[in-house]
Amino acid sequence: MIQSDDLPPFTRRNVQASLAEALADTPVVCLLGPRQCGKSTLAMHGDPERTYFSLDDSHFLNLAKKDAQGFVAELPAYVTIDEVQRAPNLVLAIKRAVDSDRRPGRFLLTGSANLLQLPKLADSLAGRMECVYLQPFAESEKEGSPGEFLQKWLAGELAVELVGSPAPAPSELPRRLVAGGYPEACRRVPARARQWLRQYLRGIIERDIHDVAQIRDGGDLAKLIELLANRTGSLLNITELSNTTGSTRRTVESHFAILEKLFLVRTLPAWHRNATKRLVKSPKIHLCDTGLAAMLSDLSEDRWLEDRERFGHLLESFVLQQLVALSGWTDPDLRFWHYR
């Protein structure tokens, strides 16, 4: 097993220990997260003895689609199958293989769509699969630190450490907000990062949505995510989105669900003492990466002072983005709400 400290920058991920724990006692482990957040890199560097197959390769994809049972039967003992959502029929074949041999760590799957929201896939591997979620880079990962803020906060140790700590330079915050956490965007200067993000989103709209839904034209989906980027950190109002887009409520709900499955947006439920009321109060919407949100809403760091309200919403999404990422290696069972 390659240690995280041995990996190059923008490869080391703090969630690697959680992934190794899951592989040690579970037959199928699925590493889920948005496309280009680093899943393939983490999966390939995790264990050099594990054979790697990518379903972005048309040769392997065609084999998996034509004869899933035969494809799985010929696989080595321990394998990684990248972008498994592209061949959903593989899951049933993996289930049969695991039922006959339940050795832990046999299959490491990666997916750029939430398999738990694709009912046929989730049901097939119930009791056989553990999901580990990989988010875009947290700020702690960019700095090469272990990301212990959430752990210390929950343990009540944070207040002691903050005494006497130097305040961060104010100029740092706008830059971090608009940079986001996608590894490829983080490597580039701001103008090139924004261009990469545009191409990234275009690729998802033109290709990846077809892995999770039957949509002929992704134009309405592209329009919806741009509207959501300008509303990140706000209450979800399906009726208002429907009126703005000129689409039916059912269409907006369907398109929103697709964006959730692709890890582009997330909803944050409202907290209430009564658990039942939490289910009916309006959630907030957040784009999962503030760099993508900033690009879509045309926010750059030099507009920090003149666009304070919009940057305030972006900051809220940024804080949630960091906390969700930290929970991945602190306590994956943590849940988050917004307080009204």
Side-chain angles (χ1 to χ4, degrees), residues 296-310:
L296 286 168
S297 54
D298 196 28
L299 283 175
S300 55
E301 60 178 298
D302 58 359
R303 298 180 62 179
W304 166 252
L305 295 178
E306 61 189 87
D307 273 323
R308 297 304 289 268
E309 183 176 354
R310 290 205 295 161

Side-chain angles (χ1 to χ4, degrees), residues 95-115:
K95 172 184 177 292
R96 291 172 180 163
V98 168
D99 286 346
S100 63
D101 181 357
R102 297 185 70 92
R103 280 178 296 172
R106 287 193 61 196
F107 294 93
L108 172 56
L109 313 178
T110 80
S112 296
N114 193 344
L115 302 186

Side-chain angles (χ1 to χ4, degrees), residues 200-221:
Y200 166 78
L201 186 59
R202 183 178 302 166
I204 289 179
I205 297 297
E206 292 177 355
R207 189 187 72 166
D208 288 11
I209 58 172
H210 302 294
D211 292 334
V212 299
Q214 298 296 322
I215 291 185
R216 293 182 180 178
D217 182 9
D220 289 342
L221 208 66

